[in-house]
Amino acid sequence: MERTDLRAANRAAVRPVTPRQRAARAARNGGEPTLEFAERVPYDAYVQASTLHRLQTPLSSDPGEMSFLMVSQIMELYFKLTCHELRETQRLLREDRVWDALAPLRRASLHLEGLNAAWQGLRWMTPADFNRFRNLLGEGSGFQSAMYRHLEFLLGLRDPALIRPFRRQAEAYAELRETLAAPSVWDDVVALLARHGHDLPTDLLKRDVAEEHQPHPAVEAAWVRIYDEDAGPDNQLRLLGEALTEVAERFGDWRWNHIKAVQRTMGAKVGSGGSAGLAWLQRSMARVVFPELWSARTAM
């Protein structure tokens, strides 16, 4: 079913209620919650909770596997939610609505905090605990998360080779190619700086956005100037820089927490998806999100 069809069905299932109708119902109920509905419970119709709770299919009888499976699903939802906020940020930046773009960036940062908190649900897992069901996962690995790739691409971490596992999943592959071919958040920020009068070279502004952005001294110099200006509430670009820094920092926390979780549960073993596991994750940490925001701090 198309997204518009799902939205229409959702609206049909969840009937709008005016403040007056809500007050009248509360009066009829004597302050007690409504317990009888003609059709499906409205909360379930909106949240689709009954559907969500049918999506867990452990491969073993080990009780700990449910934690691993559900935390992974929770993280997938946070990946999607953060991508949603970053795309909204891009839409607003392209319209030069810097003030408005701060709100979805703030939400993205908070969602990343929730994403980081999800790791706490796996702190109990030792190598022996993981080994009780790890072999049943086959080659399944978080490395293969399409939504995580969308998140990385939106943040400017771009490696076209990483979409290859999805070539036989036509829809997922097409969506990843689309994200890879479009500007990242950082590309949109750099374009915004140029529109706000910062001297950035044409070849940087017209580069192939499918390739990973390489740190540029002109972008660093622009951020140094922005931060050297008045730190008051009228400095929109400085506030934008701080909001972006918060997102980058929270995402960096998630990558570091991933490394610690791998160390705790499997040490330096080869990853389930065929990578070098811990060593591969450690190398990936060297790729910095929004690099000039960090390097500019040395020159401030």
Side-chain angles (χ1 to χ4, degrees):
M1 188 180 290
E2 295 294 332
R3 185 173 300 177
T4 52
D5 296 333
L6 287 171
R7 187 172 295 170
N10 196 27
R11 285 175 175 166
V14 185
R15 296 176 180 175
V17 178
T18 67
R20 180 176 294 180
Q21 289 172 322
R22 190 174 289 113
R25 182 173 296 169
R28 288 196 305 270
N29 291 355
E32 296 297 319
T34 302
L35 299 177
E36 295 292 338
F37 300 98
E39 300 174 12
R40 186 177 178 184
V41 174
Y43 173 83
D44 190 57
Y46 178 64
V47 178
Q48 302 289 314
S50 57
T51 300
L52 282 172
H53 295 310
R54 287 195 296 267
L55 296 179
Q56 292 76 46
T57 309
L59 300 175
S60 74
S61 59
D62 185 81
E65 188 193 348
M66 185 62 87
S67 291
F68 180 79
L69 176 56
M70 289 195 72
V71 168
S72 298
Q73 292 178 332
I74 289 166
M75 288 186 177
E76 282 291 327
L77 290 174
Y78 269 123
F79 294 155
K80 181 176 181 179
L81 184 53
T82 307
C83 287
H84 167 78
E85 302 291 8
L86 294 177
R87 288 192 168 100
E88 176 65 5
T89 298
Q90 290 182 290
R91 183 184 71 82
L92 295 167
L93 291 179
R94 290 167 188 174
E95 296 175 2
D96 284 314
R97 296 167 59 186
V98 179
W99 287 116
D100 293 336
L102 298 178
L105 277 175
R106 174 59 175 160
R107 292 195 299 266
S109 178
L110 293 173
H111 301 331
L112 287 167
E113 284 189 23
L115 180 63
N116 276 300
W119 285 117
Q120 300 305 312
L122 296 178
R123 287 180 60 191
W124 59 272
M125 190 179 291
T126 66
D129 295 321
F130 191 27
N131 287 341
R132 280 196 287 271
F133 58 86
R134 185 190 180 200
N135 288 344
L136 297 176
L137 304 179
E139 292 187 280
S141 166
F143 175 85
Q144 299 152 9
S145 166
M147 195 55 66
Y148 179 74
R149 292 297 163 218
H150 281 289
L151 180 55
E152 280 197 329
F153 292 167
L154 285 168
L155 290 172
L157 301 179
R158 302 196 155 201
D159 183 349
L162 295 180
I163 71 172
R164 285 169 54 194
F166 305 96
R167 283 182 298 179
R168 291 177 177 82
Q169 294 175 244
E171 185 176 358
Y173 188 65
E175 290 172 347
L176 283 166
R177 289 188 64 182
E178 183 178 352
T179 301
L180 188 62
S184 69
V185 171
W186 195 238
D187 291 322
D188 283 320
V189 169
V190 170
L192 177 80
L193 296 183
R195 293 196 303 273
H196 279 246
H198 292 277
D199 186 18
L200 301 178
T202 302
D203 61 339
L204 174 64
L205 298 172
K206 294 185 176 181
R207 71 179 190 85
D208 180 3
V209 295
E211 300 295 327
E212 190 160 314
H213 169 83
Q214 298 302 314
H216 197 288
V219 178
E220 180 184 292
W223 283 110
V224 171
R225 288 192 296 274
I226 290 166
Y227 274 82
D228 278 346
E229 294 172 3
D230 179 24
D234 293 331
N235 190 339
Q236 299 180 60
L237 293 181
R238 189 178 190 276
L239 293 175
L240 176 64
E242 286 301 281
L244 290 164
T245 300
E246 191 74 14
V247 168
E249 188 169 356
R250 296 288 81 77
F251 181 71
D253 291 343
W254 187 85
R255 292 199 289 175
W256 175 241
N257 283 328
H258 191 184
I259 285 176
K260 289 192 294 183
V262 168
Q263 286 178 317
R264 184 184 302 115
T265 59
M266 53 183 281
K269 295 186 184 79
V270 172
S272 300
S275 75
L278 180 63
W280 192 91
L281 291 173
Q282 289 171 330
R283 287 197 302 273
S284 73
M285 284 288 293
R287 299 163 65 207
V288 180
V289 172
F290 312 153
E292 293 93 340
L293 264 179
W294 299 100
S295 63
R297 282 163 160 74
T298 304
M300 292 177 190

